[in-house]
């Protein structure tokens, strides 16, 4: 039964609602019932997860009765793992891992079953038919390349959840996992692969299967091939209708967007502001293709400049959000990088191991070298284990980094990596050396075919990365270091800023926010295909607008029909909507607020 969130005065406060949600989580665990904590943006989902972990540890004998047992806490990124480990004091009774790391540790000991399930995947079914003896080879998961070697089989990143889902369907396998991890808590459940959680969740009341707790928000599903909302008979649904992030005006907007989960702001929340600027009256020829119905890029920049000049940032903690990184990259000096990576913002989130090394190790080391901070320098490149056994070693270090500094300003990424690999003063991460050896094999007489290269996304990305000028890496580093006001909507999931400006436009065929607004009031009557599209558009829009703490501005640069405009009026009122008027294709003449004679 859902808790009653209303008191005599109305909704419970954010603080009171949070206490109710945590009490329900504890009750579900005590009753050995699987649960899903649905926590909308700003609710403090991770805080409740940490509360739950610490509460479980205080009664270890009850929840972990056997000496070898631990709680599994799974999340989507290494950054999230580090946060949870830090906030639980790295307690050894909690196994904190990314989902893929956990799944591989669970399935890798069962090699025969693993090979059997691999053979059901189209790629491996064909590969094993061509090479039947490979079925008996050990299976490894390292960089995620699909390949049959003489002594082993290497599987792809996407293969891991597929085989794990199949193995979790086996009751005996679930019991083996339960013996190690009687409780499994999954953060950001909405981002798990389709079907995986359903295969883990208990099917009986035998008590021999793990208790599963899910923490997340279905409305923040913004990546493809993720499960999104999960409904299952064994799940107790617990809502946390708090918002500890945003001021009242922003929470009001979120509630009108999402009346199914009404949030209450914190007792400390201020009034805040929400303003919407549209460009329906732009006189120029609107763009086509991926930018269909959008005003020109120069006009977008002009509108942003006008907003900054007339509104300004009320604090230093401000962010402008755009759909894709391509516009930001053009502005900041790394236009080639977004074209290399299939997944939006992979490089900006430093999920690529080469980008991560260049940005987090090499570039800071070069800066330390140039500033003669040699202690920091050696710590960065070699963990303080510098090879200075002879007087000549100092010259070798100096010559190497002088060459790298020159190459990074004049040559490609490939030239810089070549200098790094062809030296013996310090080690380079194995992820880079493995990628380089695979690329060299592809380029040699022993090359794999083009089809295999195309199927190995990471190797293709590495090849293309090597071909660009290293100066783009420097520009990306500068963008990250300077805390640019620009970000994409995808990259800020989980973040928050005092002042947020969201540029609502086109640029990616997968998204049409204008149509999302038009369909909003008819969303429940959409057919299945349109419903999927609508939810994809809505979720990213929701993630973007919910980043704001104090002041939210929407700059809508695509054409909106009357139905879309009505949706905005329903959400924020006509007094908070303004039309940007132009004197020509590029210049703003005035801004008129709807339903008002005021302009400026």
């Amino acid at each position: 039964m859902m808790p009653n969130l209303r008191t005599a005065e109305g909704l419970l406060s954010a603080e009171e609602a949070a206490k109710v949600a945590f009490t329900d989580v504890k009750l579900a665990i005590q009753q050995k019932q699987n649960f899903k904590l649905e926590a909308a943006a700003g609710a403090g989902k991770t805080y409740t997860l940490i509360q739950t972990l610490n509460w479980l540890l205080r009664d270890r004998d009850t929840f972990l009765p056997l000496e070898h047992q631990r709680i599994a806490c799974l999340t989507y990124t290494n950054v999230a793992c580090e946060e949870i480990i830090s906030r639980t004091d790295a307690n050894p009774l909690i196994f904190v891992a990314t989902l893929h790391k956990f799944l591989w540790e669970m399935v890798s000991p069962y090699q025969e079953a693993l090979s059997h399930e691999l053979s059901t995947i189209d790629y491996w079914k064909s590969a094993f038919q061509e090479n039947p003896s490979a079925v008996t080879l050990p299976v490894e998961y390292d960089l995620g390349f699909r390949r049959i070697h003489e002594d082993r089989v290497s599987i792809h990143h996407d293969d891991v959840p597929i085989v794990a889902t199949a193995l979790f369907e086996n009751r005996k396998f679930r019991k083996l996992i339960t013996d190690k991890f009687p409780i499994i808590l999954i953060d950001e459940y909405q981002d798990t692969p389709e079907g995986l959680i359903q295969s883990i969740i208990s099917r009986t009341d035998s008590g021999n299967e793990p208790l599963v707790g899910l923490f997340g928000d279905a409305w923040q599903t913004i990546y493809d091939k993720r499960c999104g909302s999960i409904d299952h008979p064994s799940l107790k649904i617990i809502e946390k209708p708090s918002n500890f992030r945003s001021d009242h005006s922003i929470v009001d907007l979120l509630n009108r967007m999402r009346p199914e989960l009404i949030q209450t702001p914190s007792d400390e929340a201020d009034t805040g502001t929400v303003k919407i600027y549209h460009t329906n009256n732009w006189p120029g020829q609107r763009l086509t293709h991926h930018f269909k119905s959008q005003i020109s890029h120069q006009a977008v920049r002009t509108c942003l400049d006008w907003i900054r000049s007339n509104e300004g940032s009320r604090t230093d903690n401000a962010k402008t959000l755009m759909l894709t990184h391509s516009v930001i990259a053009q502005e900041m000096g790394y236009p080639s990088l977004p074209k290399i990576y299939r997944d939006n913002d992979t490089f900006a989130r430093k999920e690529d191991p080469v980008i991560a090394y260049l940005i987090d190790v090499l570039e800071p080391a070069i800066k330390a070298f140039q500033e003669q901070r040699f202690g920091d320098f050696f710590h960065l490149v070699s963990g303080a284990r510098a090879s200075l056994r002879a007087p000549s070693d100092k010259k070798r270090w100096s010559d190497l980094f002088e060459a790298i500094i020159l190459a990074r300003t004049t040559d490609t990424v490939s030239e810089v990596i070549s200098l790094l690999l062809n030296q013996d003063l310090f080690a380079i991460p194995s992820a880079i050396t493995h990628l380089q050896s695979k690329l060299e094999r592809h380029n040699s007489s022993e090359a794999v075919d083009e089809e295999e290269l195309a199927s190995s996304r990471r190797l293709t990305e590495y090849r293309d990365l090597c071909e660009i000028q290293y100066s783009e890496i420097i520009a990306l580093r500068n963008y990250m270091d300077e805390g640019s006001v620009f970000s994409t909507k995808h990259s800020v999931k989980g973040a928050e800023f005092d002042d947020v400006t969201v540029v609502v436009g086109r640029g990616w065929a997968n998204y049409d926010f204008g149509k999302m607004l038009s369909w909003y009031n008819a969303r429940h009557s959409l057919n299945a295909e349109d419903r999927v599209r609508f939810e994809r558009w809505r979720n990213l829009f929701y993630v973007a607008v919910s980043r704001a703490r104090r002041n939210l501005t929407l700059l809508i640069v695509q054409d909106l029909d009357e139905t879309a405009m009505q949706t905005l009026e329903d959400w924020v009122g006509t007094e908070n909507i303004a039309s940007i008027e132009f004197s020509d294709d590029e210049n703003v003449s005035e801004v008129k607020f709807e339903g008002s004679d005021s302009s400026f």
Side-chain angles (χ1 to χ4, degrees):
M1 181 178 178
M2 296 297 297
N4 181 5
L5 296 176
R6 294 190 176 275
T7 64
E9 293 78 27
L11 292 170
L12 293 178
S13 70
E15 290 76 9
E16 291 169 330
K19 291 178 182 177
V20 170
F22 182 45
T23 298
D24 282 356
V25 167
K26 293 187 289 185
L27 182 62
I29 294 173
Q30 289 167 337
Q31 295 174 343
K32 299 182 178 179
Q33 185 174 6
N34 298 327
F35 66 90
K36 177 178 74 170
L37 180 76
E38 194 75 10
K45 165 188 59 65
T46 303
Y47 182 83
T48 303
L49 173 61
I50 301 300
Q51 272 188 308
T52 303
L53 288 167
N54 288 325
W55 173 74
L56 289 167
L57 293 175
R58 287 196 291 270
D59 197 1
R60 180 251 173 98
D61 292 341
T62 297
F63 300 114
L64 302 174
L66 302 180
E67 189 67 26
H68 66 278
Q69 290 181 325
R70 292 191 289 170
I71 302 164
C73 181
L74 315 180
T75 189
Y76 197 65
T77 67
N78 288 320
V79 172
C81 286
E82 291 167 6
E83 179 184 0
I84 294 169
I85 290 171
S86 172
R87 291 171 65 177
T88 55
D89 298 325
N91 194 300
L93 294 176
I94 307 173
F95 178 66
V96 183
T98 61
L99 187 68
H100 279 74
K101 179 180 178 181
F102 172 78
L103 294 177
W104 180 244
E105 291 209 17
M106 295 305 101
V107 303
S108 59
Y110 307 102
Q111 289 283 313
E112 184 176 349
L114 184 55
S115 294
H116 173 75
E117 296 303 337
L118 274 179
S119 65
T120 65
I121 300 173
D122 289 342
Y123 175 90
W124 291 110
K125 183 186 297 183
S126 175
F128 289 154
Q129 286 174 351
E130 294 177 7
N131 192 349
S133 63
V135 177
T136 62
L137 294 176
V139 179
E140 69 167 12
Y141 166 58
D142 183 12
L143 284 177
F145 300 113
R146 289 189 178 108
R147 187 165 179 82
I148 296 177
H149 307 271
E150 289 185 3
D151 60 344
R152 67 195 186 283
V153 170
S154 296
I155 66 173
H156 190 270
H157 188 75
D158 293 342
D159 296 331
V160 177
I162 296 175
V163 296
T165 297
L167 290 179
F168 269 110
E169 293 284 353
N170 183 293
R171 188 168 179 267
K172 182 178 179 181
F173 179 78
R174 292 200 303 277
K175 285 184 178 181
L176 290 169
I177 303 306
T178 304
D179 182 60
K180 297 178 182 179
F181 301 104
I183 298 175
I184 299 176
L185 304 182
I186 302 177
D187 190 23
E188 305 289 2
Y189 78 82
Q190 73 276 359
D191 287 332
T192 58
E194 294 174 325
L196 176 64
I197 289 177
Q198 290 86 338
S199 71
I200 300 174
I201 291 176
S202 174
R203 291 152 179 76
T204 70
D205 296 321
S206 65
N208 293 320
E209 292 165 328
L211 185 151
V212 177
L214 309 179
F215 296 75
D217 180 12
W219 274 46
Q220 296 189 62
T221 309
I222 60 174
Y223 302 112
D224 292 336
K225 299 179 182 178
R226 304 296 190 260
C227 69
S229 181
I230 291 180
D231 297 308
H232 192 278
S234 76
L235 282 175
K236 176 181 181 179
I237 310 301
I238 302 169
E239 292 183 347
K240 186 179 182 183
S242 309
N243 192 311
F244 294 101
R245 173 183 297 158
S246 303
D247 283 343
H248 285 266
S249 294
I250 299 161
V251 175
D252 287 345
L253 166 63
L254 299 178
N255 287 341
R256 290 189 176 94
M257 285 184 63
R258 190 177 188 178
E260 302 87 352
L261 182 52
I262 296 293
Q263 293 183 294
T264 50
S266 166
D267 291 340
E268 299 177 358
D270 205 338
T271 303
T273 66
V274 176
K275 292 183 180 179
I276 298 177
Y277 297 93
H278 70 82
T279 55
N280 276 2
N281 294 331
W282 184 64
Q285 182 69 41
R286 291 184 179 263
L287 301 177
T288 58
H289 302 297
H290 290 329
F291 290 94
K292 183 179 180 181
S293 84
Q294 181 174 306
I295 65 177
S296 71
H297 298 307
Q298 180 57 48
V300 172
R301 287 191 285 270
T302 299
C303 292
L304 282 172
D305 289 342
W306 185 93
I307 290 172
R308 292 193 202 101
S309 298
N310 288 273
E311 287 193 357
S313 291
R314 296 144 175 102
T315 71
D316 293 331
N317 184 227
K319 188 67 71 173
T320 298
L321 306 183
M322 299 180 177
L323 178 57
T324 70
H325 219 112
S326 57
V327 177
I328 302 172
Q330 291 285 345
E331 294 280 343
M332 303 303 295
Y334 50 93
S336 303
L337 280 169
K339 302 172 185 176
I340 293 172
Y341 295 91
R342 184 185 69 183
D343 294 336
N344 199 26
D345 283 337
T346 293
F347 66 94
R349 294 193 300 267
K350 295 184 288 190
E351 293 176 358
D352 179 284
V354 185
I355 293 286
Y357 179 77
L358 297 177
I359 295 293
D360 291 339
V361 178
L362 183 62
E363 284 301 304
I366 289 171
K367 184 177 181 182
F369 177 83
Q370 292 175 318
E371 296 174 354
Q372 298 186 359
R373 293 183 288 106
F374 296 115
D376 292 339
F377 168 74
F378 285 122
H379 179 77
L380 283 162
V381 297
S382 59
R385 295 186 296 276
S387 176
L388 293 172
R389 299 183 182 89
S392 60
D393 286 339
K394 182 176 180 180
K395 186 176 187 304
R396 292 176 64 210
W397 278 98
S398 180
D399 288 347
L400 172 63
F401 271 83
E402 291 293 350
I404 290 174
I405 289 169
L406 177 61
R408 67 194 276 274
T409 57
T410 60
D411 291 325
T412 63
V413 172
S414 178
E415 293 299 323
V416 173
I417 289 177
S418 178
L419 288 169
L420 292 169
L421 294 174
N422 292 309
Q423 54 82 28
D424 58 3
L425 294 172
F426 58 94
I428 301 301
S430 59
I432 298 177
T433 57
H434 288 174
L435 281 165
Q436 182 64 25
S437 64
K438 287 177 180 293
L439 184 60
E440 288 174 357
R441 188 176 67 246
H442 169 73
N443 293 334
S444 73
S445 58
E446 303 173 21
V448 294
D449 60 31
E450 288 296 330
E451 184 177 349
E452 180 177 346
L453 178 67
S455 68
S456 179
R457 174 167 58 91
R458 190 171 294 181
L459 184 57
T460 304
E461 291 170 348
Y462 176 69
R463 178 197 63 186
D464 295 343
L465 176 65
C466 285
E467 294 175 355
I468 71 170
Q469 289 297 118
Y470 191 90
S471 58
E472 294 203 25
I473 301 297
I474 298 173
L476 176 62
R477 167 79 179 179
N478 292 338
Y479 161 75
M480 293 177 173
D481 275 358
E482 293 170 4
S484 170
V485 297
F486 296 107
S487 285
T488 64
K489 299 180 180 76
H490 284 84
S491 68
V492 295
K493 183 181 175 185
E496 59 184 53
F497 309 94
D498 287 343
D499 301 334
V500 171
T501 299
V502 182
V503 179
V504 181
R506 304 302 303 276
W508 195 350
N510 283 342
Y511 293 92
D512 187 340
F513 299 112
K515 189 171 289 186
M516 180 273 292
L517 293 168
S518 293
W519 288 359
Y520 207 87
N521 289 326
R523 61 193 181 277
H524 298 301
S525 60
L526 296 174
N527 61 46
E529 181 180 353
D530 286 344
R531 180 75 184 184
V532 170
R533 297 164 65 202
F534 169 81
E535 290 182 356
R536 181 171 65 245
W537 305 335
R538 177 206 65 191
N539 288 358
L540 188 57
F541 185 89
Y542 177 80
V543 166
V545 300
S546 62
R547 300 308 96 194
R549 297 179 66 233
R550 303 285 179 253
N551 304 292
L552 172 66
T553 300
L554 303 184
L555 169 61
I556 302 177
V557 296
Q558 66 180 110
D559 196 32
L560 299 182
D561 63 23
E562 290 183 7
T563 308
M565 289 297 299
Q566 184 61 54
T567 298
L568 293 176
E569 292 175 10
D570 293 343
W571 286 353
V572 303
T574 56
E575 68 276 13
N576 293 307
I577 300 175
S579 172
I580 297 180
E581 305 295 327
F582 297 83
S583 57
D584 54 36
D585 288 4
E586 295 184 1
N587 296 301
V588 174
S589 58
E590 63 176 339
V591 171
K592 296 180 179 179
F593 277 89
E594 305 290 328
S596 170
D597 294 331
S598 64
S599 64
F600 54 95

